[in-house]
Amino acid sequence: FLHSVLKSSRMPTLSDITSLAKRRGFFFPGSDIYGGLANTWDYGPLGVELKRKIKDLWWGKFVTHRPDMIGLDSSVISSSKVWEASGHLSSFADAMVDCKTCRSRTRADHLIEDAQGIKVEGQSLVELSKIIQDNKIACPSCGSKDLTDARSFNLLFPVHLGILAQSGDLAYLRGETAQGIFINFKNILDSTRLRLPFGVGQLGKSFRNEITKGQATFRTLEFEQAEIEYFFNPQESNWEELYESWLTAMKNFVTDTLGIKAENLRTREHDDQERSFYSKRTVDLEYNYPFGFKELWGLAYRTDYDLTQHIKHSGKDLTYTDPMTNQKFVPHVIEPAVGIDRLVLMVICDAYWEDTLNKRVVLKLTPSLAPYTVAVFPLLRNNTELVGR
């Protein structure tokens, strides 16, 4: 009977999830008492416990319990030269369109995907504008078709260091945690004497000034990343075997450690247009959220692009010397990167269950994730009274 009740529970909507999250104390809209601040969220008492447990499990699985891994915690603010070298200042941007009627701003690719159901990542601003115009795509806010051409907006948050903005040095809040690992590569080698292959894991906040689609904590201005850069010698290690081993580890963590239903997961390969130019292969592990299958965890083979760029722009030696052959070379890297906030949202969505018999909503969390592990109840003569509460 319980099995039939469980099977009959409907898929929750995003409204169901956000309502439950606020009611139970998982997450709340940011700056709520002042009318809110778009694309920001605060984690409540239960949410912060759930998030902490997921982070601890990730760190234990991929850093502490692996002899080929070490950790790092780099600065949230970094020099503008870091982001110039990485290419973020020139190419880390979204194509946006503005509605001339209601002045709302929308990502061009999201606008086209929602209206036409097609993927357009990698297409130029001119191509995106043409698709919108040819298909007479309307503003999702007011329905007007009077839209601007697609324009490029950089996603980094600038920070001016100093008392006056014009006198301070320009820096940026990091758009990803990966660059902190690359610029510390030599420091890590000198202080640990690690031998290839090895990986560096990092957990921390990143910031992206982007327009989102109102999908709760799935895409926000401030978010927490769990990234790994796994360095290796392409002449000695088979990158395809390393790649598949990381992809398997990612899937196993989601299903075995976090207790997520396998049928709600799928992998999606990036095609040549979508894949970053420096990546030899990129695969997304996607989860079936209430708004459809979306990226949960990305896996990219970034070759030696990042270290080579920082060598070129900084003039510093970021090569690795093989202790056996004295050969100097720039290591290649495979990067598994996941958003912790997306893991939290996934766990809540996957655990959501409507108990139709007792007319209540239950979160069927795997025990290792439960925010409450012990409950103390008062003694009552009437057991039904306790159940009713």
Side-chain angles (χ1 to χ4, degrees), residues 335-353:
E335 177 194 79
V338 65
I340 295 296
D341 305 276
R342 293 185 180 187
L343 290 178
V344 173
L345 183 60
M346 172 194 68
V347 165
I348 295 175
C349 291
D350 211 71
Y352 187 99
W353 175 55

Side-chain angles (χ1 to χ4, degrees), residues 13 37 52 156 201 228 242 264 298 313 357:
T13 64
L37 179 64
R52 168 55 58 190
L156 290 179
I228 291 168
L242 283 176
N264 286 331
H313 284 258
L357 185 64

Side-chain angles (χ1 to χ4, degrees), residues 180-354:
I181 297 175
F182 294 125
I183 63 176
N184 277 292
F185 183 70
K186 189 176 189 307
N187 291 330
I188 291 168
L189 287 180
D190 291 346
S191 60
T192 63
R193 307 293 181 182
L194 284 168
R195 294 189 180 186
L196 294 179
F198 69 85
V200 182
Q202 180 166 205
L203 268 169
K205 292 290 184 71
S206 293
F207 304 83
R208 295 181 184 177
N209 190 16
E210 61 184 350
I211 303 299
T212 75
K213 297 171 66 175
Q215 295 170 340
T217 57
F218 179 78
R219 193 185 299 275
T220 54
L221 300 179
E222 171 191 355
F223 56 98
E224 197 148 8
Q225 284 185 296
E227 285 194 296
I228 291 168
E229 305 304 328
Y230 197 79
F231 300 96
F232 64 96
N233 182 350
Q235 302 301 319
E236 295 183 356
S237 298
N238 185 311
W239 77 263
E240 283 137 327
E241 291 179 0
L242 283 176
Y243 197 97
E244 289 300 326
S245 71
W246 277 109
L247 187 57
T248 298
M250 289 158 50
K251 292 176 182 176
N252 289 343
F253 181 78
V254 174
T255 56
D256 299 348
T257 304
L258 301 186
I260 302 303
K261 303 176 190 70
E263 60 266 27
N264 286 331
L265 295 172
R266 74 178 186 188
T267 56
R268 185 179 67 83
E269 191 96 23
H270 285 213
D271 59 26
D272 292 341
Q273 277 195 317
E274 183 182 2
R275 189 175 61 250
S276 300
F277 70 90
Y278 52 77
S279 175
K280 197 164 184 176
R281 186 187 180 195
T282 301
V283 172
D284 287 342
L285 179 62
E286 297 185 331
Y287 176 77
N288 190 16
Y289 291 97
F291 37 87
F293 276 100
K294 297 294 179 182
E295 178 191 351
L296 176 71
W297 207 325
L299 183 64
Y301 174 23
R302 298 174 72 125
T303 65
D304 61 355
Y305 171 78
D306 297 276
L307 287 178
T308 299
Q309 283 294 103
H310 287 300
I311 291 171
K312 175 183 174 182
H313 284 258
S314 70
K316 304 297 183 183
D317 183 7
L318 302 180
T319 59
Y320 174 86
T321 302
D322 190 311
M324 305 301 293
T325 65
N326 287 325
Q327 176 194 8
K328 292 185 69 173
F329 60 92
V330 179
H332 283 214
V333 66
I334 289 175
E335 177 194 79
V338 65
I340 295 296
D341 305 276
R342 293 185 180 187
L343 290 178
V344 173
L345 183 60
M346 172 194 68
V347 165
I348 295 175
C349 291
D350 211 71
Y352 187 99
W353 175 55
E354 289 186 351

Side-chain angles (χ1 to χ4, degrees), residues 21 49 101 147 164 171 195 197 201 245 266 290 334 350 355 358 374:
E49 291 296 329
T101 303
L147 306 177
L164 298 175
R195 294 189 180 186
S245 71
R266 74 178 186 188
I334 289 175
D350 211 71
D355 181 354
N358 295 298
V374 176

Side-chain angles (χ1 to χ4, degrees), residues 97-106 139-142 147:
V97 293
D98 292 321
C99 176
K100 296 179 182 179
T101 303
C102 70
R103 300 185 182 278
S104 66
R105 179 169 291 166
T106 310
C139 169
S141 297
C142 72
L147 306 177

Side-chain angles (χ1 to χ4, degrees), residues 2-10 263 353:
L2 180 59
H3 180 73
S4 64
V5 172
L6 181 60
K7 284 290 185 181
S8 66
S9 181
R10 67 177 178 85
E263 60 266 27
W353 175 55

